Amino acid sequence: MEDLLEPGMLVRHPQKPEWGLGQVQSNINGRVTVMFEDEGKVVIDATRVELEIVITP
């Protein structure tokens, strides 16, 4: 799953809905940097957390 995450994609953290919508900044070896609306920049280990991809129409 982590291989699918590319810069610019919109995601949500399944255990932290209060963080709001996030935009992937980078994905290097499963370490995904995301800028969340209400939390700011967070580095996530994508081998431990499966981010939810948000599809916009």
mmCIF file of all heavy atoms in Angstrom:
data_model
loop_
_atom_site.group_PDB
_atom_site.id
_atom_site.type_symbol
_atom_site.label_atom_id
_atom_site.label_comp_id
_atom_site.label_asym_id
_atom_site.label_seq_id
_atom_site.Cartn_x
_atom_site.Cartn_y
_atom_site.Cartn_z
ATOM 1 N N MET A 1 0.828 -1.202 0.000
ATOM 2 C CA MET A 1 0.000 0.000 0.000
ATOM 3 C C MET A 1 0.870 1.264 0.000
ATOM 4 O O MET A 1 0.586 2.216 -0.692
ATOM 5 C CB MET A 1 -0.930 -0.036 1.207
ATOM 6 C CG MET A 1 -1.709 1.212 1.420
ATOM 7 S SD MET A 1 -2.844 1.512 0.066
ATOM 8 C CE MET A 1 -3.633 2.955 0.624
ATOM 9 N N GLU A 2 1.930 1.253 0.798
ATOM 10 C CA GLU A 2 2.735 2.472 0.913
ATOM 11 C C GLU A 2 3.370 2.875 -0.411
ATOM 12 O O GLU A 2 3.679 4.033 -0.625
ATOM 13 C CB GLU A 2 3.790 2.362 2.008
ATOM 14 C CG GLU A 2 4.901 1.385 1.732
ATOM 15 C CD GLU A 2 4.704 0.027 2.380
ATOM 16 O OE1 GLU A 2 3.615 -0.288 2.858
ATOM 17 O OE2 GLU A 2 5.673 -0.729 2.383
ATOM 18 N N ASP A 3 3.546 1.907 -1.322
ATOM 19 C CA ASP A 3 4.133 2.211 -2.626
ATOM 20 C C ASP A 3 3.203 3.073 -3.485
ATOM 21 O O ASP A 3 3.655 3.734 -4.409
ATOM 22 C CB ASP A 3 4.466 0.930 -3.386
ATOM 23 C CG ASP A 3 5.575 0.133 -2.712
ATOM 24 O OD1 ASP A 3 6.360 0.728 -1.950
ATOM 25 O OD2 ASP A 3 5.636 -1.078 -2.937
ATOM 26 N N LEU A 4 1.910 3.062 -3.183
ATOM 27 C CA LEU A 4 0.938 3.824 -3.966
ATOM 28 C C LEU A 4 0.929 5.312 -3.625
ATOM 29 O O LEU A 4 0.452 6.117 -4.409
ATOM 30 C CB LEU A 4 -0.473 3.269 -3.747
ATOM 31 C CG LEU A 4 -0.726 1.833 -4.181
ATOM 32 C CD1 LEU A 4 -2.140 1.420 -3.800
ATOM 33 C CD2 LEU A 4 -0.506 1.675 -5.671
ATOM 34 N N LEU A 5 1.422 5.663 -2.447
ATOM 35 C CA LEU A 5 1.344 7.046 -1.992
ATOM 36 C C LEU A 5 2.381 7.917 -2.692
ATOM 37 O O LEU A 5 3.579 7.661 -2.613
ATOM 38 C CB LEU A 5 1.530 7.110 -0.477
ATOM 39 C CG LEU A 5 0.468 6.368 0.329
ATOM 40 C CD1 LEU A 5 0.864 6.324 1.792
ATOM 41 C CD2 LEU A 5 -0.889 7.005 0.155
ATOM 42 N N GLU A 6 1.888 8.949 -3.373
ATOM 43 C CA GLU A 6 2.757 9.860 -4.120
ATOM 44 C C GLU A 6 2.491 11.294 -3.686
ATOM 45 O O GLU A 6 1.389 11.615 -3.233
ATOM 46 C CB GLU A 6 2.467 9.738 -5.616
ATOM 47 C CG GLU A 6 2.759 8.380 -6.195
ATOM 48 C CD GLU A 6 2.438 8.311 -7.675
ATOM 49 O OE1 GLU A 6 1.955 9.306 -8.247
ATOM 50 O OE2 GLU A 6 2.678 7.240 -8.264
ATOM 51 N N PRO A 7 3.491 12.173 -3.828
ATOM 52 C CA PRO A 7 3.282 13.578 -3.486
ATOM 53 C C PRO A 7 2.057 14.158 -4.194
ATOM 54 O O PRO A 7 1.806 13.880 -5.368
ATOM 55 C CB PRO A 7 4.568 14.250 -3.971
ATOM 56 C CG PRO A 7 5.594 13.171 -3.857
ATOM 57 C CD PRO A 7 4.863 11.911 -4.258
ATOM 58 N N GLY A 8 1.288 14.916 -3.415
ATOM 59 C CA GLY A 8 0.081 15.545 -3.938
ATOM 60 C C GLY A 8 -1.194 14.792 -3.610
ATOM 61 O O GLY A 8 -2.284 15.366 -3.646
ATOM 62 N N MET A 9 -1.072 13.497 -3.286
ATOM 63 C CA MET A 9 -2.264 12.709 -2.964
ATOM 64 C C MET A 9 -2.864 13.176 -1.640
ATOM 65 O O MET A 9 -2.139 13.593 -0.733
ATOM 66 C CB MET A 9 -1.927 11.222 -2.868
ATOM 67 C CG MET A 9 -1.526 10.603 -4.185
ATOM 68 S SD MET A 9 -1.147 8.849 -4.026
ATOM 69 C CE MET A 9 -2.791 8.182 -4.171
ATOM 70 N N LEU A 10 -4.187 13.076 -1.542
ATOM 71 C CA LEU A 10 -4.894 13.427 -0.318
ATOM 72 C C LEU A 10 -5.159 12.164 0.487
ATOM 73 O O LEU A 10 -5.558 11.133 -0.065
ATOM 74 C CB LEU A 10 -6.204 14.131 -0.646
ATOM 75 C CG LEU A 10 -6.055 15.434 -1.426
ATOM 76 C CD1 LEU A 10 -7.434 15.998 -1.759
ATOM 77 C CD2 LEU A 10 -5.234 16.446 -0.659
ATOM 78 N N VAL A 11 -4.933 12.264 1.810
ATOM 79 C CA VAL A 11 -5.086 11.106 2.693
ATOM 80 C C VAL A 11 -5.707 11.521 4.024
ATOM 81 O O VAL A 11 -5.765 12.700 4.359
ATOM 82 C CB VAL A 11 -3.716 10.423 2.963
ATOM 83 C CG1 VAL A 11 -3.128 9.841 1.697
ATOM 84 C CG2 VAL A 11 -2.734 11.378 3.620
ATOM 85 N N ARG A 12 -6.134 10.503 4.757
ATOM 86 C CA ARG A 12 -6.571 10.677 6.140
ATOM 87 C C ARG A 12 -5.875 9.617 6.986
ATOM 88 O O ARG A 12 -5.591 8.526 6.511
ATOM 89 C CB ARG A 12 -8.085 10.513 6.269
ATOM 90 C CG ARG A 12 -8.858 11.626 5.632
ATOM 91 C CD ARG A 12 -10.333 11.575 6.036
ATOM 92 N NE ARG A 12 -11.103 12.546 5.289
ATOM 93 C CZ ARG A 12 -11.211 13.824 5.584
ATOM 94 N NH1 ARG A 12 -10.604 14.302 6.646
ATOM 95 N NH2 ARG A 12 -11.939 14.639 4.845
ATOM 96 N N HIS A 13 -5.606 9.960 8.243
ATOM 97 C CA HIS A 13 -5.013 9.011 9.189
ATOM 98 C C HIS A 13 -6.179 8.304 9.879
ATOM 99 O O HIS A 13 -6.997 8.960 10.537
ATOM 100 C CB HIS A 13 -4.155 9.757 10.207
ATOM 101 C CG HIS A 13 -3.314 8.866 11.056
ATOM 102 N ND1 HIS A 13 -3.843 7.900 11.882
ATOM 103 C CD2 HIS A 13 -1.968 8.786 11.196
ATOM 104 C CE1 HIS A 13 -2.868 7.277 12.507
ATOM 105 N NE2 HIS A 13 -1.708 7.801 12.094
ATOM 106 N N PRO A 14 -6.285 6.975 9.757
ATOM 107 C CA PRO A 14 -7.451 6.263 10.296
ATOM 108 C C PRO A 14 -7.620 6.361 11.810
ATOM 109 O O PRO A 14 -8.745 6.322 12.305
ATOM 110 C CB PRO A 14 -7.238 4.817 9.856
ATOM 111 C CG PRO A 14 -5.772 4.710 9.594
ATOM 112 C CD PRO A 14 -5.330 6.076 9.133
ATOM 113 N N GLN A 15 -6.529 6.516 12.567
ATOM 114 C CA GLN A 15 -6.627 6.623 14.029
ATOM 115 C C GLN A 15 -6.656 8.069 14.528
ATOM 116 O O GLN A 15 -6.785 8.305 15.722
ATOM 117 C CB GLN A 15 -5.466 5.894 14.706
ATOM 118 C CG GLN A 15 -5.542 4.384 14.631
ATOM 119 C CD GLN A 15 -4.914 3.818 13.380
ATOM 120 O OE1 GLN A 15 -3.893 4.321 12.902
ATOM 121 N NE2 GLN A 15 -5.504 2.772 12.829
ATOM 122 N N LYS A 16 -6.507 9.026 13.611
ATOM 123 C CA LYS A 16 -6.454 10.435 14.008
ATOM 124 C C LYS A 16 -7.373 11.291 13.120
ATOM 125 O O LYS A 16 -6.910 12.200 12.428
ATOM 126 C CB LYS A 16 -5.015 10.969 13.903
ATOM 127 C CG LYS A 16 -4.014 10.214 14.736
ATOM 128 C CD LYS A 16 -4.171 10.547 16.185
ATOM 129 C CE LYS A 16 -3.040 9.909 16.993
ATOM 130 N NZ LYS A 16 -3.121 10.243 18.388
ATOM 131 N N PRO A 17 -8.670 11.037 13.127
ATOM 132 C CA PRO A 17 -9.568 11.812 12.259
ATOM 133 C C PRO A 17 -9.554 13.302 12.574
ATOM 134 O O PRO A 17 -9.833 14.127 11.696
ATOM 135 C CB PRO A 17 -10.941 11.194 12.513
ATOM 136 C CG PRO A 17 -10.820 10.508 13.831
ATOM 137 C CD PRO A 17 -9.383 10.081 13.942
ATOM 138 N N GLU A 18 -9.190 13.656 13.794
ATOM 139 C CA GLU A 18 -9.158 15.069 14.189
ATOM 140 C C GLU A 18 -8.052 15.841 13.461
ATOM 141 O O GLU A 18 -8.052 17.071 13.458
ATOM 142 C CB GLU A 18 -9.005 15.208 15.712
ATOM 143 C CG GLU A 18 -7.690 14.748 16.268
ATOM 144 C CD GLU A 18 -7.623 13.258 16.615
ATOM 145 O OE1 GLU A 18 -8.525 12.486 16.223
ATOM 146 O OE2 GLU A 18 -6.666 12.873 17.301
ATOM 147 N N TRP A 19 -7.100 15.143 12.850
ATOM 148 C CA TRP A 19 -6.046 15.802 12.085
ATOM 149 C C TRP A 19 -6.565 16.372 10.776
ATOM 150 O O TRP A 19 -5.921 17.223 10.182
ATOM 151 C CB TRP A 19 -4.902 14.840 11.791
ATOM 152 C CG TRP A 19 -4.066 14.512 12.997
ATOM 153 C CD1 TRP A 19 -4.257 14.923 14.282
ATOM 154 C CD2 TRP A 19 -2.911 13.682 13.021
ATOM 155 N NE1 TRP A 19 -3.296 14.409 15.106
ATOM 156 C CE2 TRP A 19 -2.453 13.635 14.353
ATOM 157 C CE3 TRP A 19 -2.219 12.971 12.054
ATOM 158 C CZ2 TRP A 19 -1.329 12.911 14.738
ATOM 159 C CZ3 TRP A 19 -1.105 12.252 12.433
ATOM 160 C CH2 TRP A 19 -0.667 12.231 13.761
ATOM 161 N N GLY A 20 -7.707 15.886 10.320
ATOM 162 C CA GLY A 20 -8.296 16.377 9.073
ATOM 163 C C GLY A 20 -7.632 15.782 7.851
ATOM 164 O O GLY A 20 -6.909 14.789 7.916
ATOM 165 N N LEU A 21 -7.863 16.428 6.744
ATOM 166 C CA LEU A 21 -7.337 15.979 5.460
ATOM 167 C C LEU A 21 -5.847 16.289 5.380
ATOM 168 O O LEU A 21 -5.393 17.328 5.849
ATOM 169 C CB LEU A 21 -8.089 16.711 4.344
ATOM 170 C CG LEU A 21 -7.929 16.209 2.927
ATOM 171 C CD1 LEU A 21 -8.432 14.769 2.810
ATOM 172 C CD2 LEU A 21 -8.694 17.097 1.974
ATOM 173 N N GLY A 22 -5.092 15.371 4.786
ATOM 174 C CA GLY A 22 -3.662 15.574 4.638
ATOM 175 C C GLY A 22 -3.226 15.436 3.200
ATOM 176 O O GLY A 22 -3.849 14.722 2.418
ATOM 177 N N GLN A 23 -2.139 16.118 2.856
ATOM 178 C CA GLN A 23 -1.570 16.008 1.517
ATOM 179 C C GLN A 23 -0.166 15.419 1.638
ATOM 180 O O GLN A 23 0.661 15.920 2.405
ATOM 181 C CB GLN A 23 -1.498 17.358 0.829
ATOM 182 C CG GLN A 23 -1.008 17.246 -0.612
ATOM 183 C CD GLN A 23 -0.993 18.589 -1.311
ATOM 184 O OE1 GLN A 23 -0.606 19.598 -0.729
ATOM 185 N NE2 GLN A 23 -1.429 18.594 -2.555
ATOM 186 N N VAL A 24 0.079 14.339 0.891
ATOM 187 C CA VAL A 24 1.385 13.686 0.905
ATOM 188 C C VAL A 24 2.428 14.638 0.321
ATOM 189 O O VAL A 24 2.240 15.199 -0.754
ATOM 190 C CB VAL A 24 1.346 12.365 0.098
ATOM 191 C CG1 VAL A 24 2.733 11.748 0.015
ATOM 192 C CG2 VAL A 24 0.344 11.382 0.713
ATOM 193 N N GLN A 25 3.519 14.815 1.058
ATOM 194 C CA GLN A 25 4.626 15.652 0.617
ATOM 195 C C GLN A 25 5.740 14.809 0.010
ATOM 196 O O GLN A 25 6.361 15.207 -0.970
ATOM 197 C CB GLN A 25 5.184 16.461 1.802
ATOM 198 C CG GLN A 25 4.148 17.305 2.498
ATOM 199 C CD GLN A 25 3.607 18.410 1.621
ATOM 200 O OE1 GLN A 25 4.363 19.242 1.161
ATOM 201 N NE2 GLN A 25 2.311 18.408 1.383
ATOM 202 N N SER A 26 6.006 13.650 0.621
ATOM 203 C CA SER A 26 7.035 12.750 0.107
ATOM 204 C C SER A 26 6.794 11.345 0.638
ATOM 205 O O SER A 26 6.086 11.155 1.632
ATOM 206 C CB SER A 26 8.434 13.224 0.501
ATOM 207 O OG SER A 26 8.610 13.135 1.895
ATOM 208 N N ASN A 27 7.397 10.367 -0.049
ATOM 209 C CA ASN A 27 7.330 8.968 0.369
ATOM 210 C C ASN A 27 8.679 8.345 0.052
ATOM 211 O O ASN A 27 8.979 8.044 -1.096
ATOM 212 C CB ASN A 27 6.210 8.246 -0.372
ATOM 213 C CG ASN A 27 6.089 6.788 0.037
ATOM 214 O OD1 ASN A 27 6.842 6.288 0.855
ATOM 215 N ND2 ASN A 27 5.129 6.098 -0.550
ATOM 216 N N ILE A 28 9.494 8.185 1.090
ATOM 217 C CA ILE A 28 10.842 7.646 0.918
ATOM 218 C C ILE A 28 10.985 6.405 1.792
ATOM 219 O O ILE A 28 10.953 6.499 3.020
ATOM 220 C CB ILE A 28 11.908 8.697 1.280
ATOM 221 C CG1 ILE A 28 11.732 9.935 0.406
ATOM 222 C CG2 ILE A 28 13.311 8.119 1.149
ATOM 223 C CD1 ILE A 28 12.550 11.128 0.829
ATOM 224 N N ASN A 29 11.103 5.271 1.127
ATOM 225 C CA ASN A 29 11.273 3.987 1.830
ATOM 226 C C ASN A 29 10.205 3.748 2.887
ATOM 227 O O ASN A 29 10.508 3.282 3.990
ATOM 228 C CB ASN A 29 12.665 3.901 2.450
ATOM 229 C CG ASN A 29 13.765 3.950 1.430
ATOM 230 O OD1 ASN A 29 13.611 3.416 0.325
ATOM 231 N ND2 ASN A 29 14.861 4.597 1.756
ATOM 232 N N GLY A 30 8.954 4.079 2.575
ATOM 233 C CA GLY A 30 7.856 3.831 3.504
ATOM 234 C C GLY A 30 7.684 4.878 4.581
ATOM 235 O O GLY A 30 6.782 4.768 5.405
ATOM 236 N N ARG A 31 8.523 5.892 4.589
ATOM 237 C CA ARG A 31 8.351 7.015 5.521
ATOM 238 C C ARG A 31 7.657 8.125 4.746
ATOM 239 O O ARG A 31 8.261 8.736 3.864
ATOM 240 C CB ARG A 31 9.688 7.472 6.092
ATOM 241 C CG ARG A 31 10.311 6.419 7.003
ATOM 242 C CD ARG A 31 11.652 6.817 7.546
ATOM 243 N NE ARG A 31 11.656 8.100 8.217
ATOM 244 C CZ ARG A 31 11.328 8.303 9.496
ATOM 245 N NH1 ARG A 31 10.964 7.284 10.234
ATOM 246 N NH2 ARG A 31 11.370 9.509 10.014
ATOM 247 N N VAL A 32 6.404 8.348 5.092
ATOM 248 C CA VAL A 32 5.560 9.274 4.343
ATOM 249 C C VAL A 32 5.396 10.570 5.132
ATOM 250 O O VAL A 32 4.963 10.544 6.285
ATOM 251 C CB VAL A 32 4.173 8.645 4.061
ATOM 252 C CG1 VAL A 32 3.317 9.571 3.237
ATOM 253 C CG2 VAL A 32 4.339 7.301 3.356
ATOM 254 N N THR A 33 5.770 11.673 4.518
ATOM 255 C CA THR A 33 5.581 12.988 5.132
ATOM 256 C C THR A 33 4.266 13.547 4.611
ATOM 257 O O THR A 33 4.051 13.616 3.407
ATOM 258 C CB THR A 33 6.734 13.937 4.788
ATOM 259 O OG1 THR A 33 7.956 13.340 5.226
ATOM 260 C CG2 THR A 33 6.560 15.289 5.469
ATOM 261 N N VAL A 34 3.389 13.911 5.566
ATOM 262 C CA VAL A 34 2.055 14.412 5.222
ATOM 263 C C VAL A 34 1.825 15.736 5.930
ATOM 264 O O VAL A 34 2.149 15.881 7.115
ATOM 265 C CB VAL A 34 0.960 13.402 5.650
ATOM 266 C CG1 VAL A 34 -0.416 13.894 5.262
ATOM 267 C CG2 VAL A 34 1.221 12.026 5.053
ATOM 268 N N MET A 35 1.251 16.705 5.209
ATOM 269 C CA MET A 35 0.842 17.976 5.811
ATOM 270 C C MET A 35 -0.659 17.881 6.056
ATOM 271 O O MET A 35 -1.451 17.872 5.113
ATOM 272 C CB MET A 35 1.165 19.142 4.876
ATOM 273 C CG MET A 35 0.768 20.489 5.442
ATOM 274 S SD MET A 35 1.648 20.921 6.951
ATOM 275 C CE MET A 35 3.195 21.469 6.278
ATOM 276 N N PHE A 36 -1.029 17.791 7.349
ATOM 277 C CA PHE A 36 -2.431 17.696 7.734
ATOM 278 C C PHE A 36 -2.984 19.083 8.042
ATOM 279 O O PHE A 36 -2.271 19.939 8.580
ATOM 280 C CB PHE A 36 -2.602 16.797 8.961
ATOM 281 C CG PHE A 36 -2.415 15.333 8.670
ATOM 282 C CD1 PHE A 36 -1.207 14.707 8.918
ATOM 283 C CD2 PHE A 36 -3.449 14.581 8.141
ATOM 284 C CE1 PHE A 36 -1.022 13.361 8.651
ATOM 285 C CE2 PHE A 36 -3.288 13.228 7.869
ATOM 286 C CZ PHE A 36 -2.075 12.623 8.124
ATOM 287 N N GLU A 37 -4.279 19.270 7.735
ATOM 288 C CA GLU A 37 -4.950 20.560 7.955
ATOM 289 C C GLU A 37 -4.828 21.047 9.391
ATOM 290 O O GLU A 37 -4.535 22.211 9.635
ATOM 291 C CB GLU A 37 -6.454 20.434 7.642
ATOM 292 C CG GLU A 37 -6.784 20.184 6.205
ATOM 293 C CD GLU A 37 -8.271 19.943 6.003
ATOM 294 O OE1 GLU A 37 -8.891 19.213 6.816
ATOM 295 O OE2 GLU A 37 -8.807 20.483 5.027
ATOM 296 N N ASP A 38 -5.085 20.150 10.342
ATOM 297 C CA ASP A 38 -5.177 20.570 11.739
ATOM 298 C C ASP A 38 -4.052 20.068 12.629
ATOM 299 O O ASP A 38 -4.069 20.311 13.836
ATOM 300 C CB ASP A 38 -6.531 20.121 12.308
ATOM 301 C CG ASP A 38 -7.700 20.753 11.570
ATOM 302 O OD1 ASP A 38 -7.621 21.964 11.267
ATOM 303 O OD2 ASP A 38 -8.684 20.056 11.288
ATOM 304 N N GLU A 39 -3.057 19.401 12.047
ATOM 305 C CA GLU A 39 -1.937 18.885 12.844
ATOM 306 C C GLU A 39 -0.588 19.380 12.323
ATOM 307 O O GLU A 39 0.392 19.393 13.056
ATOM 308 C CB GLU A 39 -1.968 17.350 12.854
ATOM 309 C CG GLU A 39 -0.918 16.697 13.703
ATOM 310 C CD GLU A 39 -1.066 16.986 15.194
ATOM 311 O OE1 GLU A 39 -2.137 17.406 15.646
ATOM 312 O OE2 GLU A 39 -0.075 16.799 15.927
ATOM 313 N N GLY A 40 -0.559 19.775 11.065
ATOM 314 C CA GLY A 40 0.706 20.206 10.477
ATOM 315 C C GLY A 40 1.451 19.038 9.857
ATOM 316 O O GLY A 40 0.868 18.010 9.529
ATOM 317 N N LYS A 41 2.762 19.184 9.736
ATOM 318 C CA LYS A 41 3.584 18.177 9.069
ATOM 319 C C LYS A 41 3.870 17.016 10.010
ATOM 320 O O LYS A 41 4.324 17.212 11.138
ATOM 321 C CB LYS A 41 4.895 18.796 8.612
ATOM 322 C CG LYS A 41 5.711 17.881 7.725
ATOM 323 C CD LYS A 41 7.010 18.510 7.295
ATOM 324 C CE LYS A 41 6.745 19.590 6.288
ATOM 325 N NZ LYS A 41 7.986 20.127 5.708
ATOM 326 N N VAL A 42 3.601 15.797 9.509
ATOM 327 C CA VAL A 42 3.810 14.580 10.288
ATOM 328 C C VAL A 42 4.511 13.557 9.399
ATOM 329 O O VAL A 42 4.142 13.395 8.238
ATOM 330 C CB VAL A 42 2.462 13.997 10.778
ATOM 331 C CG1 VAL A 42 2.680 12.720 11.561
ATOM 332 C CG2 VAL A 42 1.694 15.005 11.610
ATOM 333 N N VAL A 43 5.507 12.865 9.951
ATOM 334 C CA VAL A 43 6.160 11.770 9.243
ATOM 335 C C VAL A 43 5.571 10.470 9.778
ATOM 336 O O VAL A 43 5.562 10.232 10.989
ATOM 337 C CB VAL A 43 7.689 11.792 9.438
ATOM 338 C CG1 VAL A 43 8.327 10.595 8.734
ATOM 339 C CG2 VAL A 43 8.272 13.093 8.919
ATOM 340 N N ILE A 44 5.063 9.646 8.861
ATOM 341 C CA ILE A 44 4.354 8.429 9.233
ATOM 342 C C ILE A 44 5.081 7.217 8.663
ATOM 343 O O ILE A 44 5.485 7.219 7.491
ATOM 344 C CB ILE A 44 2.907 8.480 8.697
ATOM 345 C CG1 ILE A 44 2.167 9.611 9.407
ATOM 346 C CG2 ILE A 44 2.201 7.146 8.873
ATOM 347 C CD1 ILE A 44 0.821 9.911 8.858
ATOM 348 N N ASP A 45 5.226 6.186 9.491
ATOM 349 C CA ASP A 45 5.783 4.917 9.039
ATOM 350 C C ASP A 45 4.642 4.145 8.383
ATOM 351 O O ASP A 45 3.777 3.593 9.061
ATOM 352 C CB ASP A 45 6.352 4.140 10.226
ATOM 353 C CG ASP A 45 6.967 2.816 9.831
ATOM 354 O OD1 ASP A 45 6.816 2.387 8.669
ATOM 355 O OD2 ASP A 45 7.609 2.196 10.701
ATOM 356 N N ALA A 46 4.631 4.114 7.053
ATOM 357 C CA ALA A 46 3.533 3.499 6.311
ATOM 358 C C ALA A 46 3.513 1.978 6.429
ATOM 359 O O ALA A 46 2.547 1.346 6.013
ATOM 360 C CB ALA A 46 3.582 3.910 4.848
ATOM 361 N N THR A 47 4.548 1.387 7.017
ATOM 362 C CA THR A 47 4.499 -0.054 7.265
ATOM 363 C C THR A 47 3.693 -0.356 8.527
ATOM 364 O O THR A 47 3.296 -1.494 8.746
ATOM 365 C CB THR A 47 5.917 -0.657 7.404
ATOM 366 O OG1 THR A 47 6.558 -0.098 8.554
ATOM 367 C CG2 THR A 47 6.740 -0.392 6.151
ATOM 368 N N ARG A 48 3.422 0.669 9.333
ATOM 369 C CA ARG A 48 2.642 0.503 10.568
ATOM 370 C C ARG A 48 1.258 1.116 10.498
ATOM 371 O O ARG A 48 0.343 0.671 11.183
ATOM 372 C CB ARG A 48 3.391 1.122 11.747
ATOM 373 C CG ARG A 48 4.673 0.416 12.048
ATOM 374 C CD ARG A 48 5.371 1.075 13.196
ATOM 375 N NE ARG A 48 6.355 0.156 13.729
ATOM 376 C CZ ARG A 48 6.692 0.105 14.989
ATOM 377 N NH1 ARG A 48 6.149 0.919 15.848
ATOM 378 N NH2 ARG A 48 7.585 -0.755 15.397
ATOM 379 N N VAL A 49 1.114 2.167 9.707
ATOM 380 C CA VAL A 49 -0.168 2.867 9.589
ATOM 381 C C VAL A 49 -0.585 2.873 8.128
ATOM 382 O O VAL A 49 0.178 3.312 7.268
ATOM 383 C CB VAL A 49 -0.057 4.327 10.090
ATOM 384 C CG1 VAL A 49 -1.362 5.072 9.879
ATOM 385 C CG2 VAL A 49 0.347 4.364 11.547
ATOM 386 N N GLU A 50 -1.786 2.372 7.838
ATOM 387 C CA GLU A 50 -2.289 2.380 6.473
ATOM 388 C C GLU A 50 -3.159 3.609 6.289
ATOM 389 O O GLU A 50 -4.306 3.657 6.718
ATOM 390 C CB GLU A 50 -3.091 1.102 6.183
ATOM 391 C CG GLU A 50 -3.464 1.005 4.721
ATOM 392 C CD GLU A 50 -4.031 -0.349 4.369
ATOM 393 O OE1 GLU A 50 -3.661 -1.345 4.995
ATOM 394 O OE2 GLU A 50 -4.881 -0.378 3.461
ATOM 395 N N LEU A 51 -2.583 4.629 5.678
ATOM 396 C CA LEU A 51 -3.318 5.862 5.428
ATOM 397 C C LEU A 51 -4.456 5.606 4.448
ATOM 398 O O LEU A 51 -4.320 4.776 3.546
ATOM 399 C CB LEU A 51 -2.379 6.941 4.874
ATOM 400 C CG LEU A 51 -1.290 7.413 5.832
ATOM 401 C CD1 LEU A 51 -0.274 8.254 5.089
ATOM 402 C CD2 LEU A 51 -1.894 8.196 6.982
ATOM 403 N N GLU A 52 -5.558 6.308 4.659
ATOM 404 C CA GLU A 52 -6.707 6.175 3.772
ATOM 405 C C GLU A 52 -6.586 7.195 2.655
ATOM 406 O O GLU A 52 -6.505 8.403 2.922
ATOM 407 C CB GLU A 52 -7.999 6.407 4.554
ATOM 408 C CG GLU A 52 -8.199 5.413 5.671
ATOM 409 C CD GLU A 52 -9.348 5.789 6.591
ATOM 410 O OE1 GLU A 52 -9.895 6.900 6.490
ATOM 411 O OE2 GLU A 52 -9.700 4.947 7.441
ATOM 412 N N ILE A 53 -6.574 6.728 1.414
ATOM 413 C CA ILE A 53 -6.500 7.630 0.262
ATOM 414 C C ILE A 53 -7.874 8.242 0.046
ATOM 415 O O ILE A 53 -8.889 7.555 0.072
ATOM 416 C CB ILE A 53 -6.038 6.871 -0.983
ATOM 417 C CG1 ILE A 53 -4.603 6.357 -0.773
ATOM 418 C CG2 ILE A 53 -6.097 7.772 -2.216
ATOM 419 C CD1 ILE A 53 -4.103 5.447 -1.873
ATOM 420 N N VAL A 54 -7.906 9.564 -0.150
ATOM 421 C CA VAL A 54 -9.146 10.291 -0.387
ATOM 422 C C VAL A 54 -9.238 10.589 -1.876
ATOM 423 O O VAL A 54 -8.347 11.221 -2.449
ATOM 424 C CB VAL A 54 -9.181 11.615 0.429
ATOM 425 C CG1 VAL A 54 -10.429 12.405 0.102
ATOM 426 C CG2 VAL A 54 -9.081 11.310 1.920
ATOM 427 N N ILE A 55 -10.317 10.126 -2.485
ATOM 428 C CA ILE A 55 -10.559 10.355 -3.911
ATOM 429 C C ILE A 55 -11.524 11.532 -4.032
ATOM 430 O O ILE A 55 -12.613 11.507 -3.448
ATOM 431 C CB ILE A 55 -11.178 9.124 -4.589
ATOM 432 C CG1 ILE A 55 -10.318 7.878 -4.352
ATOM 433 C CG2 ILE A 55 -11.390 9.373 -6.076
ATOM 434 C CD1 ILE A 55 -8.941 7.918 -4.940
ATOM 435 N N THR A 56 -11.132 12.558 -4.774
ATOM 436 C CA THR A 56 -12.017 13.703 -4.974
ATOM 437 C C THR A 56 -12.570 13.667 -6.399
ATOM 438 O O THR A 56 -11.850 13.302 -7.331
ATOM 439 C CB THR A 56 -11.271 15.028 -4.748
ATOM 440 O OG1 THR A 56 -10.130 15.079 -5.601
ATOM 441 C CG2 THR A 56 -10.813 15.173 -3.311
ATOM 442 N N PRO A 57 -13.839 14.041 -6.545
ATOM 443 C CA PRO A 57 -14.450 13.984 -7.876
ATOM 444 C C PRO A 57 -13.904 15.042 -8.806
ATOM 445 O O PRO A 57 -13.331 15.998 -8.450
ATOM 446 C CB PRO A 57 -15.920 14.224 -7.614
ATOM 447 C CG PRO A 57 -16.037 14.732 -6.228
ATOM 448 C CD PRO A 57 -14.751 14.434 -5.528
#
